[in-house]
């Protein structure tokens, strides 16, 4: 399915030793809103995916083995070089993303080992199409996991090349295993935005835990999906209201900075105090204490928090000599 793992005369061969993309930018862009807010996330990815979403925003890397128009030049690199580079850039965590990290999990684990030795946290940005076996393999090495829950309709998942149930099982498994989970849903008119579907989807998340943050983000045309029109702020607000009625406590609307009311900010679920103010992925105000507690009622916020908040750095550009440095290992 993924076209990157194969049986070579009885030996399993898996990708290792290269990146198809690497970037260092705010963790809020992943999006993680309850994982070290304001920190830099060092993101790396390989090529390939087990799904083939027609709206994929990372299609250049994810569909590199399916689509002759896709493809990014791989650069050879070692886990040590990546972890050292993440440190040099001031990253707080390293993130396997851009392609589907579950299909290149052996490589991610080797990078994460080096990252952890240096005190960095680790995360996946993933479609969640995993098995208990791969999750057990990954579990000792990962701190946070963002699952892209694309729909609550098995027929839609089959159109993309997967099934719904394994994604739901992954979310439950990760939460039960103590991995910090956030979920994102790209809201697409006519694809996944019916009231019934949104009630089912958000009700499922709330059934796992009401404290799992749900990011509902705005679709814009991309890759092969040239219809329907872009998702509006009003559509996001409606979906957020349904999520609220389902019992979720942390609901965020994305890709529409300044146009979604209070849905970019974090509020204390106990007393209602605003504890983090955002504009898009930019943090405008941070008020949690050193243990990640509300400054007003002292309730513990769910997530992973810094002992102190440092002014946010919004990007660390990669210069031509950086690329050279990463490619010579
Ligand atoms: S699962 Fe993610 S990376 Fe893979 S095709 Fe779909 S959107 Fe792209």
């Amino acid at each position: 399915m993924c076209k990157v793992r194969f049986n070579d005369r009885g030996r399993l061969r898996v990708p290792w030793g290269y990146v198809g993309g690497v970037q260092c930018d705010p963790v809020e862009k992943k999006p993680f809103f309850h994982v070290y807010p304001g920190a830099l996330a060092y993101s790396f990815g390989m090529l390939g995916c087990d799904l083939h979403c027609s709206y994929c925003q990372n299609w250049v890397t994810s569909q590199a083995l399916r689509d002759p128009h896709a493809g990014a030049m791989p650069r050879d690199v070692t886990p040590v070089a990546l972890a050292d580079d993440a440190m040099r850039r001031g990253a707080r965590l390293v993130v396997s993303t851009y392609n589907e990290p579950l299909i290149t999990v052996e490589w991610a684990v080797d990078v994460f080992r080096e990252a952890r030795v240096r005190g960095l946290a680790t995360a996946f940005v993933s479609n969640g199409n995993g098995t208990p076996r791969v999750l057990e393999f990954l579990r000792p090495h990962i701190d946070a996991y963002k699952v892209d829950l694309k729909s609550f309709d098995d027929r839609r998942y089959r159109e993309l090349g997967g099934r719904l149930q394994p994604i739901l099982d992954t979310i439950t498994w990760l939460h039960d295993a103590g991995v910090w989970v956030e979920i994102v849903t790209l809201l697409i008119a006519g694809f996944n935005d019916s009231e019934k579907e949104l009630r089912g989807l958000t009700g499922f998340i709330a059934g796992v835990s009401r404290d799992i943050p749900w990011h509902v983000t705005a679709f814009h045309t991309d890759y092969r999906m040239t219809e329907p029109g872009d998702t509006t702020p009003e559509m996001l607000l409606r979906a957020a209201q349904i999520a609220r009625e389902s019992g979720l406590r942390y609901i965020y609307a994305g890709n529409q900075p300044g146009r979604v009311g209070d849905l970019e900010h974090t509020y204390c679920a106990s007393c209602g105090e605003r504890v983090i103010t955002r504009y898009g992925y930019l943090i405008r105000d941070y008020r949690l204490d050193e243990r990640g507690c509300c400054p007003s009622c002292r309730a513990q916020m769910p997530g992973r928090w810094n002992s102190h908040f440092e002014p946010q750095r919004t990007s660390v550009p990669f210069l031509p000599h950086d690329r050279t440095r990463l490619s010579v290992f």
Side-chain angles (χ1 to χ4, degrees):
M1 293 286 286
C2 65
K3 299 186 185 294
V4 302
R5 308 171 69 82
F6 59 97
N7 181 335
D8 179 15
R9 286 163 291 173
R11 288 183 71 200
L12 172 64
R13 310 283 290 198
V14 301
W16 202 92
Y18 79 87
V19 287
V22 60
Q23 190 74 35
C24 196
D25 46 21
V27 68
E28 283 76 14
K29 275 192 175 180
K30 302 299 108 188
F32 280 116
F33 276 15
H34 289 226
V35 177
Y36 308 121
L40 282 172
Y42 188 90
S43 302
F44 64 94
M46 301 187 102
L47 301 177
C49 185
D50 48 332
L51 304 189
H52 45 80
C53 309
S54 55
Y55 52 82
C56 182
Q57 293 168 1
N58 289 325
W59 64 274
V60 171
T61 47
S62 76
Q63 302 304 305
L65 296 119
R66 281 198 189 90
D67 185 335
H69 297 108
M73 189 57 75
R75 293 198 303 278
D76 292 347
V77 68
T78 64
V80 169
L82 281 178
D84 283 347
D85 199 41
M87 292 295 288
R88 205 160 36 232
R89 291 169 192 283
R92 176 71 182 80
L93 67 163
V94 294
V95 183
S96 187
T97 177
Y98 302 138
N99 73 318
E100 173 46 49
L102 284 172
I103 64 171
T104 49
V105 67
E106 294 85 357
W107 167 243
V109 162
D110 283 352
V111 175
F112 287 175
R113 280 200 178 99
E114 293 297 335
R116 283 247 176 114
V117 165
R118 290 158 179 78
L120 301 174
T122 59
F124 261 26
V125 172
S126 163
N127 63 26
N129 192 22
T131 60
R133 196 166 174 204
V134 68
L135 296 174
E136 274 157 22
F137 174 72
L138 177 64
R139 172 68 194 98
H141 309 282
I142 193 151
D143 298 298
Y145 202 118
K146 198 214 76 179
V147 178
D148 191 0
L149 182 54
K150 301 168 186 297
S151 166
F152 207 63
D153 182 340
D154 189 60
R155 285 172 311 156
R156 290 299 189 195
Y157 261 101
R158 287 176 191 268
E159 287 171 19
L160 309 177
R163 290 185 299 120
L164 173 62
Q165 194 58 48
I167 320 297
L168 304 183
D169 292 345
T170 292
I171 292 168
T172 306
W173 195 100
L174 289 167
H175 177 264
D176 292 350
V179 179
W180 178 252
V181 178
E182 301 196 20
I183 294 177
V184 66
T185 300
L186 186 71
L187 194 69
I188 306 173
F191 179 80
N192 60 6
D193 70 333
S194 75
E195 178 170 344
K196 180 171 175 247
E197 180 159 358
L198 289 172
R199 286 204 188 282
L201 187 149
T202 55
F204 165 78
I205 300 171
V208 178
S209 169
R210 295 176 65 198
D211 286 341
I212 294 177
W214 183 53
H215 303 258
V216 58
T217 58
F219 164 80
H220 59 83
T221 51
D222 211 323
Y223 193 34
R224 291 178 173 154
M225 194 177 258
T226 52
E227 293 179 341
D230 293 355
T231 302
T232 64
E234 293 70 32
M235 293 161 67
L236 297 178
L237 295 174
R238 174 182 154 270
Q241 178 57 32
I242 292 171
R244 215 170 278 123
E245 290 165 11
S246 293
L248 289 178
R249 292 191 174 110
Y250 303 100
I251 303 158
Y252 301 105
N255 296 356
Q256 297 282 358
R259 302 176 66 195
V260 288
D262 58 7
L263 289 170
E264 296 183 290
H265 315 311
T266 299
Y267 292 84
C268 173
S270 295
C271 70
E273 184 83 0
R274 185 193 287 187
V275 292
I276 305 176
T277 302
R278 301 183 187 81
Y279 178 86
Y281 62 83
L282 302 176
I283 293 185
R284 291 275 165 83
D285 189 33
Y286 182 91
R287 302 187 55 233
L288 292 174
D289 72 10
E290 67 283 356
R291 291 179 302 121
C293 295
C294 171
S296 175
C297 72
R298 301 290 158 202
Q300 177 70 58
M301 295 288 293
R304 305 287 183 266
W305 310 103
N306 288 313
S307 57
H308 61 283
F309 179 74
E310 291 179 4
Q312 191 178 27
R313 290 161 70 201
T314 50
S315 76
V316 181
F318 279 71
L319 303 171
H321 68 268
D322 293 323
R323 305 218 180 263
T324 309
R325 188 158 49 187
L326 264 183
S327 66
V328 297
F329 297 91

